[in-house]
Amino acid sequence: MNESVIEAVKNAVTSILQQFGVSDIRLSFYQRKENSESDYPVNVTIGFLGKVNGYVIVGLNEFIAEELVNIMTGGFLNTLDDPMARSTILELGNMLSAYIANNMSADLGGERVDITPPTLVMGNEIYIMMTRYEAVDIKFATDKGTIGVNISVWRKE
């Protein structure tokens, strides 16, 4: 997996979270794996198509997901029980995917990278596995909790 793709994802997560007041963001875990998976209770999956194909799964615990919803809605919503709150988490996925796709495109000399609409998967004791391609599992520690990002992308020749 291309290191510049991993950096694009790390930069996107850091930049977007900082925009919503999440601070003290630091890389707390990094591991290469055989597949793309998550065991968080709140997950946003993002697909990439074009010269680069694959998935990114952003995993959140319920506390940080609700904190982000609260911040993104200006305090209007603060629970994931509301459909609008879940839509807010998907919007976070849209923001991340656009940022990541733009960075990947720049790395590919302006080559277009298409994104799929984000998908929200929620629930306790749910195991998500997206691909059997090589993946990188990254965790960020923040002042609001841990965020997991699983990256599995590959170049299409």
Side-chain angles (χ1 to χ4, degrees):
M1 184 176 321
N2 189 321
E3 286 297 319
S4 64
V5 171
I6 296 167
E7 283 303 311
V9 174
K10 288 172 25 181
N11 291 338
V13 170
T14 302
S15 178
I16 298 297
L17 291 177
Q18 286 174 338
Q19 290 178 32
F20 294 113
V22 177
S23 61
D24 194 24
I25 304 165
R26 60 199 178 284
L27 188 65
S28 63
F29 181 82
Y30 180 100
Q31 177 183 3
R32 291 189 180 269
K33 300 170 66 172
E34 290 185 17
N35 52 35
S36 181
E37 59 188 37
S38 175
D39 57 0
Y40 282 85
V42 180
N43 295 279
V44 178
T45 65
I46 305 160
F48 297 95
L49 306 166
K51 287 273 187 184
V52 175
N53 287 327
Y55 299 92
V56 171
I57 304 171
V58 179
L60 310 163
N61 65 40
E62 291 166 346
F63 175 77
I64 196 165
E66 289 174 346
E67 282 284 315
L68 287 169
V69 165
N70 188 29
I71 293 165
M72 291 175 72
T73 63
F76 181 69
L77 298 169
N78 60 5
T79 177
L80 295 176
D81 295 335
D82 188 296
M84 285 300 292
R86 293 188 292 266
S87 179
T88 302
I89 292 295
L90 285 172
E91 185 54 35
L92 176 67
N94 275 327
M95 295 169 73
L96 287 168
S97 62
Y99 193 110
I100 295 165
N102 284 335
N103 283 347
M104 279 195 238
S105 177
D107 185 53
L108 294 169
E111 188 74 37
R112 183 176 165 155
V113 176
D114 291 322
I115 54 178
T116 65
T119 301
L120 179 64
V121 180
M122 289 178 47
N124 292 315
E125 298 184 35
I126 292 177
Y127 177 80
I128 300 172
M129 189 166 110
M130 299 294 290
T131 68
R132 298 292 299 170
Y133 285 92
E134 176 189 32
V136 174
D137 187 16
I138 299 172
K139 292 189 179 15
F140 295 92
T142 76
D143 61 326
K144 303 207 181 294
T146 302
I147 296 173
V149 180
N150 198 280
I151 309 162
S152 182
V153 295
W154 57 94
R155 268 187 176 257
K156 184 178 176 185
E157 299 303 326

